[in-house]
Amino acid sequence: MTLACSAAPARPATSAWNGKNGETATMPGAETTSLNAHRRAIYENELDDPEYSFADDRSGGIEIHAFGRDFAPVGTDEGYVLLTNGMSDRRMTLPTSHREKGEKQRAELMWYVREPTPEIIVNLRWLAELPFMDATWFGYGHRVPMPTPPVEGCDFRTFLFLTPIIETDQRIAEALMVENDPVEILTVNLISDAEYRFIKEKGLDPFLDMLDEEDYPPIFDAKRKSYL
């Protein structure tokens, strides 16, 4: 499923950045709503304390937590697991046919990155808000094509949502419930125009097979070359 998008997020201003280099940092421990506290407890049970938390200045806005992780089974490959906290407060607008199939109406987004830069944070928060701006929904395999590349230094301009393949992150998804609704965890990926066309023409499964063959990196790499 490909989703049209509302206006793309503006380039981040300094005021949008909370958590690094002393720029209006909001560290973990600030007061949260009961739902935010519930989700954060589940996150921390699997990922320990976040190194940074990025608050939204608006009331009821979506937080983003950054958990440090070494992604390498051998050696070191350090990065961050970014997790939204607040997207699942609201149900997304699913068609009746998809609700009847058991598709989840609530979701939180996860992005594996080298550093939680202001640009990444702005894009992630915008994506988490998009279903409610456009009365739509995100699920496994959905794509959001952008008019221009959303991350500086990266030529790719289509977001692709998948589900976690790392066991720790799968356990978070299994544990998350909001008002008796299960919550989907969707990982954020960026793909090239050629890869996007391949999915539309051949399907998602052949593309995922290609990612396996190419040893697709777990951490977002703005310089990754297109596999097609």
Side-chain angles (χ1 to χ4, degrees):
M1 178 178 178
T2 300
L3 303 172
C5 60
S6 293
R11 291 293 181 187
T14 302
S15 61
W17 175 237
N18 297 309
K20 298 205 74 178
N21 301 325
E23 296 171 334
T24 58
T26 301
M27 299 304 291
E31 290 186 7
T32 61
T33 65
S34 59
L35 282 176
N36 281 10
H38 164 70
R39 281 184 296 260
R40 179 166 167 166
I42 291 172
Y43 298 169
E44 292 179 355
N45 186 57
E46 297 292 346
L47 302 173
D48 295 325
D49 293 338
E51 290 191 23
Y52 308 101
S53 287
F54 304 88
D56 193 329
D57 293 337
R58 294 165 299 175
S59 176
I62 295 171
E63 296 179 339
I64 296 173
H65 301 301
F67 300 88
R69 170 181 285 170
D70 185 350
F71 287 83
V74 178
T76 59
D77 189 17
E78 294 182 352
Y80 290 86
V81 180
L82 301 185
L83 260 171
T84 61
N85 186 1
M87 180 180 177
S88 61
D89 284 352
R90 294 171 284 177
R91 287 174 172 164
M92 298 178 290
T93 306
L94 271 67
T96 301
S97 59
H98 287 276
R99 292 200 303 271
E100 292 174 346
K101 291 177 183 177
E103 298 278 3
K104 296 177 182 178
Q105 294 182 266
R106 301 181 192 264
E108 296 287 349
L109 302 182
M110 177 180 285
W111 199 348
Y112 304 136
V113 300
R114 192 65 66 187
E115 289 286 343
T117 64
E119 188 176 44
I120 292 286
I121 296 301
V122 166
N123 274 284
L124 185 56
R125 182 171 286 122
W126 176 80
L127 284 170
E129 294 171 345
L130 182 58
F132 311 106
M133 292 189 283
D134 285 356
T136 186
W137 64 293
F138 289 162
Y140 174 74
H142 288 193
R143 284 89 63 192
V144 179
M146 304 293 291
T148 59
V151 176
E152 188 174 358
C154 180
D155 293 333
F156 303 164
R157 60 189 182 98
T158 297
F159 288 107
L160 169 67
F161 300 112
L162 301 174
T163 49
I165 60 172
I166 297 174
E167 186 175 349
T168 299
D169 304 334
Q170 291 174 341
R171 289 197 297 266
I172 293 172
E174 292 167 359
L176 275 181
M177 296 282 290
V178 172
E179 296 178 350
N180 296 319
D181 290 341
V183 178
E184 187 82 272
I185 294 289
L186 296 170
T187 62
V188 176
N189 304 265
L190 272 171
I191 59 174
S192 71
D193 290 352
E195 292 167 345
Y196 174 43
R197 289 193 297 271
F198 181 89
I199 293 173
K200 292 180 68 176
E201 294 169 4
K202 304 292 185 181
L204 181 62
D205 286 344
F207 179 68
L208 297 181
D209 291 340
M210 183 189 304
L211 296 187
D212 288 339
E213 292 169 3
E214 297 287 347
D215 197 21
Y216 178 66
I219 302 176
F220 168 64
D221 180 4
K223 301 298 184 183
R224 174 178 78 84
K225 301 298 183 184
S226 177
Y227 298 142
L228 293 167

